[in-house]
Amino acid sequence: MTTRSREARLLYEQLRALEQQARQARRRAGGRYSRREVIQALAKPPYERRVGDQRISDWVPTRDKEPKVPSDRSSDDVLALVRLWSSWAGESVNERHWRNLLEQAQPVRVLRTMPTGPGRPVREFTDPFTLAVHEAIDGGGASGLPLLPLYVERQHDRWLADVVNGLVARSAGQPGGALAVLVGESSTGKTRACWEALSLLPPDWRLVLPLVPSPAEALIAALTEITPRTVLWLDEIHRFLSGDRGEQAAAHLQEVLNDPRRGPLLVLGTTWPDLWADLVKPREDGDRGDPHAQARALLTRRYYRVPDTFEDTDVPELRRLAAADGRLREALEQGEPGRITQYLAGGRALIDRYETATALQRALIESAMDVRRLGHDTPLPRILLEASISHYLSADQYDLVADGDIERALAKLSEPARGIRGPLTPVTFREPGGPRVLTDDIRLADYLDQHGRKKRRTKTPPTGLWDALMDHASRDSLIALAEAARDRGHLRIAMRLLAAGVEAGVPGAAVAAAQFLEEEERPDEALLWCLPLAEAGNVAAMNRVAGLMEATRPDVAVAWHKKAAEAGETHGWLYAGMLLRRAGGFEEAEVCFRRAADTGVHGGHGELAYLLQQAGRTEEALVHLQQEAEASGGYAVVETAALMRERGDSGLTVLAWLLPRAAEEGSKDWVGIPWAEHALIRHVAMDALLRSRLCSLVDEEGQDDAVRRTLTALLALAEELAKGDRQEKDTDTPEALRQQGRLAEALGQYRKEADAGRRDAVAHVAALHEQLGRPSEALAWYRRAAEGGDPEVVPQIARLMTAAVGPDETFDWLKSCADHRGEEGYPDQRAAVAEVLRIAGRTDEALAWLRRASQTGDPYAWRQYAELLEAAGPPEDAQGMRRYGWEPCGEISKPWSAVPEACSASVSGCSDVAQSQN
C-alpha cells in the first residue's frame, strides 16, 4: 500500500466498514447489494457522479489487495460514495470528518510556495468555540462525547448547503461570490449551522475572521487582500455593517462579491431578527438620509430565517440521534417542546441561575439586561455595572454590601455550569502564543440578553441608571444610548450623552447632536455643533449645515450642498438644484441637475426633465425623462408615455417603449404602485386602433401561447378601463353595498373576507353589526380586530364595553391589551388607551399612563403627554415639556443649554457665528 501513514489505512478501514453497513442494511430491507448498483445510483441525482467499478475497487478492494489512496481530484467522487452508502445504511454524514480523512491520507508533499491571502486553511479550524459556536451542556458528565452534540440537519441547513455546494460546483468555470446570512433568535443554532457548512468546502479553502481594530475596519482591510477560495466569517454581521464605517464595509463587500476575479468567495453571517430589521429597513418618504442603503442592497434576498423550534419533520431524526447522545436525549425529555438548541446552549439553566440568584447577583444581571436593552453595545464596562447596582437594591440591601462582595458575586456568576458559561463572564483575550489576559469588561449571556429584552420591556429603568450611563458607558455606545433617552423624552440626558460622544471623539456624534437639536426645533444650537465639523471637511456635517440653512438662508444652503456634492455626497447636486429652481435661478439649477444626472443620482434626470419642460424644451426633457424612467421606473414611466403621445409618437412606438418597462417592473417584485403596468394599460385603453391591431395578433395563427395569454389579459384590462366597466362592477363590492343601505348583503361579503384572512375586513364586520343594532356581536368582532393588531378599534371597544360591563372592567382590559401589544412592538395601542381615558374625563389617569409608557420606551408617549398637558394644565408646563423634555423621575426638566462646551465661555461669539450663517 503506497500510503502516507496510518491515516491512509484509517481511511480505507472506515470506507470498508461503511460499505459493510450499507450492504447489511440493504439486505435487511429485502433488497440486493452490488457494486454495479452502487455505480448506477451514483450516476443519478442527487449525486450525478460517474465513478467506475475499477476506481471503487482501488479504494476499497474486495480481495486481498493493497488499497490505493484517492487523489485530491477524486475527493468529490469519494464523498458522493460516502453519502450514498450512508443513506443506504441510515447514517448521517459528517463531511468535515471525511474531508479531513481524505486530506490526511494524501502523500506528504512539499509546498513550492507558501499560500497567499489572509486567513488560515479551513481544515485548521478544529475548535468550534474559536468561531463562537455555543458550548453545549455537558450531558451529566458523560465521558467520550464529542465537543458538540450530534447534528440534526434542518431546512436552513439544506438552504445553506445549496448555497455552498452551488458556489463550489461552479468555482472551476464561473468564479463568483455568495453571501448567506442566517437570521434567528439567540441560541437557535445559527452559528452551529455555519460551522457545519464549513465541512462542505474542499480542504484548500481559507477562513478569515476579521475583528481588530473594529469589525467594520477589519472587514474593509481584509477585503483589499482577499483571494479566491476564501470564507469570510461574519458572525453577528450587524457588527460589521453598522457604525461609522459600516456602509463603507457593505459597499466594499458588495463590490468584491460581484468581482469574478476575487471568487469563489463565501461569506457566512448570522444576526438577530431585530438587528436584521434595522439593517434592511427601507428608507421612508421624507428621510434625507438613508443610513443603511448599502447594507440593505447587500443583504436583500441573501438570508434565511432560522425557526425558534424544531419542526415536526425534524423530530424523527432527532430521536434517532438522541439514542447515541445523552445531551440530545436530555433536551428532548426536559426542555420545552421543540426548543432543543436553546436547552443545549444552557438557556434554561441560565434562567434558573438568574431566578435563584442572590439579591446582589440579580442586581448585577438586571442592570446588565437594562443597559443592553437601552442600546449599549457588548461588552459592558465592569465599572458601569458596579455603579448601577445601588439602583437595583433597596437601601438596606445596599448598606449590607461589604468590600469584596461585588467581586465575589461576579466571580460566582462567571462560573460555568453543565459545560456552558455563566450569566456574566469577564471578557478575555489572548495573543497568539501569549497568556490569557483579563479585561475590565463583562459580557451578558446572549440568552439572558434576549430574555431581558422580552421580560423587562415594560419595566422602567431606575432613575439613577441614566447617571451611571452618562459617567461610565463605553464611547461607542453613546449615540445609541442617546437615542434611547430621546425616545423616552429625556432630552437633557440625550444631549449630555451626545456631547460626551463628541468629547470622546466618537465618529458621527457631532452630526447626531446637530440632527437631534434640529428635530427638536433648536436650529441655532444645532448649527454650532456641525458647522466647525463641516468647515473641516466632514461630508455628513456639510449636509446637516445645508439642511439647517435651507429655510433661512437658501443661498448659503446651496453653497454647502455643492461642497458636499464635490466631496462625494452627490445628492447635494439635486438639493442645490431644487433650491435654485425655487429661487428662480434656472440656469444654475440646470447645471446642478445635470451634475446629479451625470453622477447617477436617483431623480436627477427627472428633475432636469421637469425644468426643461418648464422652459419649453420638450425634446430635451423627453430624453432625460426616458433615462429616469429606464433607470428607476416609478411615475416617470407614466410621464414619459404621456409626453411621447403629446409629441405625436404612434401608439405602437409608445407601446414598444412601455413593454420592456413593464417587464422589468414585474421581474423586480415591485413594491408600491405598479406604474409601468398602469401606464401600459392606460395607453392601450386610450388607443382604439392599437387595441384592434393587438386583437389581430391574438388571432394570428402560430402565435406563441404565452404571448397570446399576455395580450389577451392586457386587452381585457384595457377594454374595462376604456368602457368604465370597473366602475360598474364596483357597485357589487361590500363597501358599495353598505353605501346603498344593503347592510345584510355587505355584512355577508365582509364576513367571507374576514374568514379568508383579510384583516381589515374584521373591523367592517363589527361596524355593520353595530349598525344593525347588535352590540354584543359588534363588541366580539371589534375585540377580534384588536387582538389581530388593529389599534383603531380601541375607542369602539371602550364605548361598547363601558355600556355592557362598566368603566373599571373596560379600562382593565384596555390596559392589559395595550401592555400585551406593546410587548409585541405596537406602542400606538398604549397611546390609544390614553386617548380613551382623556375622552372619559380621566385626564390624571391618562397622564400617568403616558408617563409610564414613555418611561418604558414608547417614543410617541412623551409628546402626547405634552399635548394632553397643554389642554389640561398650565400652558407653560407643556411648552417646557416640548422644549426640554422630562427627567426619568417624571418631572419636567429645567431649562438647559445645548451650546457646545467649546463655545460656553464665549456664548456671544458663538451666537455671532450662528447669526452670520442665518
Side-chain angles (χ1 to χ4, degrees):
M1 183 177 186
T2 56
T3 66
R4 164 182 166 171
S5 62
R6 61 186 178 85
E7 284 85 355
R9 171 65 61 178
L10 181 62
L11 171 63
Y12 159 66
E13 289 175 350
Q14 293 202 18
L15 283 171
R16 185 181 62 178
L18 181 58
E19 183 183 24
Q20 183 65 19
Q21 287 179 268
R23 179 184 290 110
Q24 292 172 353
R26 293 279 283 185
R27 288 175 178 171
R28 282 196 302 270
R32 294 188 306 166
Y33 178 89
S34 69
R35 289 278 176 89
R36 183 176 180 181
E37 288 177 324
V38 170
I39 294 167
Q40 290 174 346
L42 284 172
K44 299 176 182 177
Y47 311 105
E48 297 181 334
R49 311 293 301 187
R50 298 197 175 277
V51 183
D53 179 63
Q54 183 58 52
R55 296 182 71 195
I56 300 177
S57 295
D58 286 342
W59 303 331
V60 191
T62 55
R63 290 183 293 276
D64 193 14
K65 179 182 172 184
E66 194 73 7
K68 294 181 180 179
V69 177
S71 67
D72 276 344
R73 288 174 296 177
S74 301
S75 60
D76 287 340
D77 290 339
V78 177
L79 288 171
L81 183 62
V82 166
R83 294 188 197 105
L84 173 65
W85 280 343
S86 297
S87 69
W88 286 358
E91 296 289 331
S92 59
V93 181
N94 185 337
E95 294 211 7
R96 182 190 301 279
H97 168 75
W98 286 101
R99 286 190 185 277
N100 285 339
L101 281 178
L102 285 163
E103 172 68 17
Q104 292 162 7
Q106 298 304 309
V108 176
R109 295 183 294 271
V110 178
L111 291 175
R112 294 180 182 176
T113 58
M114 292 297 291
T116 58
R120 292 189 287 135
V122 169
R123 64 176 178 271
E124 292 184 10
F125 287 86
T126 57
D127 182 356
F129 308 132
T130 62
L131 296 179
V133 177
H134 281 224
E135 297 178 38
I137 58 176
D138 60 13
S143 60
L145 291 173
L147 279 177
L148 297 174
L150 297 177
Y151 195 65
V152 180
E153 184 184 86
R154 296 193 279 161
Q155 188 58 43
H156 59 274
D157 296 292
R158 291 183 276 276
W159 174 81
L160 198 55
D162 287 343
V163 173
V164 177
N165 289 331
L167 181 65
V168 172
R170 70 173 185 266
S171 63
Q174 299 177 340
L179 167 64
V181 183
L182 295 179
V183 181
E185 301 290 352
S186 172
S187 304
T188 51
K190 305 182 297 296
T191 311
R192 173 73 189 274
C194 291
W195 168 261
E196 294 296 328
L198 293 180
S199 67
L200 304 175
L201 294 168
D204 61 333
W205 279 60
R206 302 175 69 79
L207 186 145
V208 176
L209 175 60
L211 289 176
V212 178
S214 73
E217 290 175 294
L219 175 57
I220 293 168
L223 288 170
T224 61
E225 303 176 358
I226 213 75
T227 55
R229 304 175 78 80
T230 296
V231 185
L232 268 175
W233 187 267
L234 304 186
D235 193 35
E236 299 185 7
I237 197 171
H238 49 272
R239 298 181 300 162
F240 299 86
L241 305 182
S242 300
D244 190 49
R245 302 196 69 184
E247 281 291 87
Q248 182 183 350
H252 199 174
L253 179 54
Q254 180 80 292
E255 179 184 352
V256 171
L257 283 169
N258 292 332
D259 186 350
R261 298 167 300 174
R262 312 293 290 277
L265 170 66
L266 174 64
V267 185
L268 296 177
T270 71
T271 190
W272 293 349
D274 55 341
L275 298 172
W276 172 264
D278 286 342
L279 287 176
V280 300
K281 181 174 65 176
R283 181 171 179 263
E284 297 179 359
D285 291 342
D287 288 352
R288 267 281 173 86
D290 192 354
H292 297 303
Q294 298 293 340
R296 184 171 61 252
L298 171 70
L299 297 173
T300 299
R301 298 185 184 178
R302 286 168 159 165
Y303 75 100
Y304 197 96
R305 179 64 190 263
V306 178
D308 295 353
T309 59
F310 276 52
E311 304 290 340
D312 291 343
T313 53
D314 302 324
V315 174
E317 177 68 2
L318 175 63
R319 293 190 182 281
R320 189 183 71 81
L321 294 178
D325 193 322
R327 294 167 293 189
L328 290 178
R329 185 165 58 253
E330 181 181 331
L332 263 173
E333 294 172 353
Q334 299 187 29
E336 296 178 42
R339 298 177 70 83
I340 304 301
T341 55
Q342 293 89 334
Y343 188 91
L344 291 171
R348 182 62 256 172
L350 285 167
I351 299 297
D352 289 341
R353 290 183 69 176
Y354 162 55
E355 292 178 346
T356 60
T358 66
L360 178 56
Q361 292 170 357
R362 192 179 182 96
L364 287 163
I365 294 172
E366 289 184 348
S367 63
M369 286 176 170
D370 286 349
V371 168
R372 283 286 292 134
R373 70 187 177 97
L374 288 175
H376 199 292
D377 201 358
T378 185
L380 308 172
R382 173 174 169 163
I383 191 172
L384 172 59
L385 299 187
E386 292 186 9
S388 303
I389 58 172
S390 63
H391 310 297
Y392 290 83
L393 297 170
S394 68
D396 290 341
Q397 286 174 326
Y398 189 63
D399 286 342
L400 293 174
V401 176
D403 292 344
D405 282 356
I406 296 176
E407 188 170 343
R408 283 187 287 274
L410 285 170
K412 190 70 175 175
L413 290 171
S414 70
E415 290 178 0
R418 308 197 67 197
I420 62 165
R421 293 188 177 98
L424 294 174
T425 52
V427 176
T428 62
F429 71 91
R430 189 197 308 269
E431 294 290 346
R436 179 170 169 266
V437 179
L438 187 68
T439 71
D440 287 329
D441 290 329
I442 303 290
R443 185 181 184 94
L444 174 67
D446 283 352
Y447 196 78
L448 284 182
D449 190 344
Q450 288 210 339
H451 180 77
R453 292 170 189 266
K454 293 176 181 177
K455 297 300 181 182
R456 296 183 63 79
R457 182 189 291 271
T458 59
K459 299 284 186 184
T460 302
T463 300
L465 180 61
W466 292 104
D467 295 322
L469 287 167
M470 286 188 285
D471 293 337
H472 303 296
S474 298
R475 64 187 292 276
D476 293 336
S477 298
L478 291 168
I479 295 177
L481 292 168
E483 187 65 28
R486 185 186 178 194
D487 282 347
R488 290 160 172 78
H490 308 328
L491 304 186
R492 179 188 66 85
I493 293 173
M495 192 63 232
R496 276 196 58 186
L497 288 164
L498 290 170
V502 175
E503 186 178 352
V506 176
V511 175
Q515 180 177 349
F516 161 66
L517 290 166
E518 180 185 5
E519 291 171 355
E520 295 302 331
E521 300 181 2
R522 302 175 71 150
D524 291 345
E525 291 167 297
L527 193 60
L528 297 177
W529 285 96
C530 61
L531 185 59
L533 208 58
E535 290 172 340
N538 184 285
V539 178
M542 292 178 188
N543 279 332
R544 186 57 52 192
V545 169
L548 287 163
M549 295 287 98
E550 285 184 359
T552 55
R553 287 292 303 276
D555 55 330
V556 177
V558 166
W560 278 110
H561 276 311
K562 288 181 177 180
K563 286 181 182 179
E566 294 285 4
E569 182 51 64
T570 52
H571 278 84
W573 296 121
L574 192 68
Y575 300 137
M578 291 176 176
L579 290 171
L580 288 165
R581 182 177 61 199
R582 191 185 308 159
F586 297 115
E587 291 184 6
E588 286 185 82
E590 181 180 342
V591 171
C592 289
F593 287 143
R594 287 190 183 278
R595 293 289 297 272
D598 291 343
T599 52
V601 175
H602 174 71
H605 284 292
E607 292 294 340
L608 177 58
Y610 178 61
L611 186 73
L612 293 170
Q613 269 187 282
Q614 287 182 305
R617 296 155 65 182
T618 306
E619 286 297 324
E620 292 178 77
L622 183 55
V623 170
H624 289 284
L625 199 55
Q626 282 181 321
Q627 290 184 60
E628 181 71 28
E630 290 167 5
S632 306
Y635 192 67
V637 178
V638 178
E639 293 179 309
T640 302
L643 200 56
M644 290 175 73
R645 284 192 297 269
E646 184 180 318
R647 187 178 64 176
D649 289 7
S650 69
L652 283 173
T653 300
V654 179
L655 178 66
W657 183 83
L658 278 171
L659 284 171
R661 308 289 82 73
E664 288 172 10
E665 189 176 78
S667 68
K668 294 178 181 178
D669 294 331
W670 201 263
V671 177
I673 300 172
W675 288 115
E677 179 186 331
H678 171 80
L680 178 61
I681 296 169
R682 182 173 178 78
H683 174 65
V684 176
M686 293 172 65
D687 192 328
L689 179 59
L690 179 61
R691 290 200 303 279
S692 176
R693 290 182 177 181
L694 292 176
C695 284
S696 65
L697 284 176
V698 172
D699 297 333
E700 189 176 284
E701 289 187 15
Q703 184 63 267
D704 180 84
D705 287 342
V707 173
R708 180 177 282 109
R709 285 194 298 271
T710 301
L711 286 174
T712 301
L714 173 62
L715 286 167
L717 290 169
E719 287 289 351
E720 284 185 15
L721 186 61
K723 295 178 182 178
D725 286 351
R726 284 187 173 182
Q727 186 173 357
E728 293 175 17
K729 288 182 179 178
D730 286 346
T731 58
D732 293 330
T733 64
E735 182 56 33
L737 291 171
R738 177 156 65 177
Q739 291 177 4
Q740 296 167 29
R742 297 157 64 183
L743 302 185
E745 293 175 73
L747 176 61
Q749 288 204 29
Y750 273 130
R751 178 73 183 265
K752 288 179 182 177
E753 292 179 359
D755 291 341
R758 182 182 155 191
R759 290 176 59 183
D760 60 334
V762 178
H764 288 300
V765 173
L768 282 166
H769 274 301
E770 193 172 359
Q771 279 185 269
L772 291 166
R774 305 167 184 167
S776 59
E777 289 91 339
L779 179 57
W781 279 91
Y782 277 132
R783 290 181 68 159
R784 175 175 162 182
E787 288 161 4
D790 183 356
E792 301 294 329
V793 300
V794 171
Q796 286 84 354
I797 293 174
R799 175 169 44 77
L800 292 172
M801 277 191 74
T802 302
V805 298
D808 293 334
E809 188 174 338
T810 299
F811 287 118
D812 285 343
W813 180 85
L814 286 171
K815 291 174 182 179
S816 66
C817 181
D819 272 344
H820 172 65
R821 299 310 297 181
E823 288 177 7
E824 295 179 2
Y826 294 89
D828 289 351
Q829 192 140 355
R830 291 202 186 109
V833 173
E835 180 65 12
V836 171
L837 287 166
R838 184 193 68 79
I839 292 171
R842 300 165 70 158
T843 304
D844 289 343
E845 288 182 69
L847 289 170
W849 177 258
L850 288 170
R851 184 184 299 113
R852 172 174 168 260
S854 175
Q855 289 169 336
T856 56
D858 183 340
Y860 311 105
W862 74 272
R863 297 184 189 278
Q864 190 178 3
Y865 185 101
E867 293 172 6
L868 186 54
L869 197 62
E870 190 169 35
E876 57 271 18
D877 284 353
Q879 293 169 7
M881 179 78 176
R882 283 199 178 92
R883 184 164 179 80
Y884 301 112
W886 56 8
E887 299 299 311
C889 64
E891 295 180 358
I892 297 173
S893 298
K894 292 180 172 58
W896 49 269
S897 171
V899 174
E901 197 169 301
C903 293
S904 59
S906 178
V907 175
S908 60
C910 286
S911 299
D912 291 342
V913 171
Q915 289 299 322
S916 69
Q917 298 295 325
N918 285 318

